[in-house]
Amino acid sequence: MKETVSYLKRKGLQVEGLFRRSASIQTIKDVQKLYNQGKSVNFDDYHDIHVPAVILKTFLRELPQPLLTFECYDHILGITSVESSLRVTRCKQIIQGLPEHNYIVLKYLICFLHMVSQESIYNRMTASSLACVFGLNLIWPSKGTASLSALVPLNLFTELLIDFYTNIFNSRTVPGEILP
């Protein structure tokens, strides 16, 4: 994840439609194979900025459990019933309960997505757009798939994490954590 985010930060922040376009399925499988073998990947060899973007989304989607954990699912669905002015505080409470490893990876990822959203004048990827792309890659129910009605709270929660990254993640630091 660090290698992929680092590459996207260097070369993709101002690419229009970053995370919205697909890449060759075979290329994605080839890159995944390299990573699974513990090898480094030179994304310049692929001449397509969307390859690392798809790799990042695929990595999150293929985790055995969601980064935001099954235990958070119902809490996240409840975000729409929280008064607007208290939603950021509620997001903060929910992620404070994450296991340390999940929290570190989430903070790293959301920090990067916040950077992407800050370049939305170029890349057209606002926090809302990024939330639509990443929401279901961060959290899903333990059984079945998320219902259509679940998309609104899941995406809202993700959008709040991105928009209010600094406020939400400022109170918990973990020794040795690295940010993009």
Side-chain angles (χ1 to χ4, degrees):
M1 177 185 240
K2 203 162 85 174
E3 190 175 290
T4 305
V5 166
S6 177
Y7 184 85
L8 289 168
K9 184 181 166 194
R10 279 192 328 273
K11 304 219 172 166
L13 285 181
Q14 295 188 347
V15 172
E16 187 171 340
L18 186 66
F19 298 115
R20 288 239 183 217
R21 304 223 172 93
S22 60
S24 155
I25 293 171
Q26 188 55 53
T27 301
I28 298 306
K29 286 181 180 179
D30 293 345
V31 171
Q32 284 179 307
K33 185 177 179 184
L34 288 171
Y35 274 141
N36 289 338
Q37 294 171 344
K39 296 179 179 170
S40 192
V41 174
N42 181 358
F43 287 111
D44 285 331
D45 293 346
Y46 298 96
H47 307 289
D48 182 359
I49 193 66
H50 301 290
V51 170
V54 171
I55 285 293
L56 182 59
K57 292 186 301 186
T58 304
F59 166 75
L60 294 166
R61 187 173 36 252
E62 292 183 354
L63 289 172
Q65 291 190 28
L67 193 56
L68 284 167
T69 74
F70 294 130
E71 293 75 27
C72 291
Y73 187 77
D74 288 332
H75 297 294
I76 292 169
L77 289 186
I79 196 73
T80 50
S81 59
V82 174
E83 184 184 321
S84 295
S85 64
L86 301 174
R87 287 179 178 164
V88 171
T89 301
R90 183 65 185 131
C91 288
K92 196 172 189 172
Q93 290 169 342
I94 292 169
I95 65 151
Q96 292 303 320
L98 287 174
E100 188 172 282
H101 196 83
N102 293 54
Y103 181 85
I104 291 168
V105 174
L106 181 68
K107 184 175 181 178
Y108 183 87
L109 175 67
I110 299 298
C111 179
F112 171 64
L113 295 180
H114 180 74
M115 289 177 193
V116 173
S117 73
Q118 298 299 295
E119 299 291 336
S120 65
I121 193 166
Y122 303 106
N123 62 33
R124 307 269 191 256
M125 296 303 289
T126 63
S128 176
S129 301
L130 290 164
C132 289
V133 171
F134 279 90
L136 285 175
N137 293 322
L138 296 176
I139 183 75
W140 56 83
S142 59
K143 292 185 174 91
T145 56
S147 67
L148 208 51
S149 62
L151 290 180
V152 171
L154 296 179
N155 290 348
L156 173 61
F157 184 84
T158 307
E159 182 178 353
L160 290 168
L161 292 182
I162 295 167
D163 266 340
F164 297 95
Y165 162 77
T166 309
N167 183 316
I168 292 171
F169 289 91
N170 69 352
S171 62
R172 182 175 172 190
T173 50
V174 181
E177 77 178 18
I178 299 167
L179 296 174

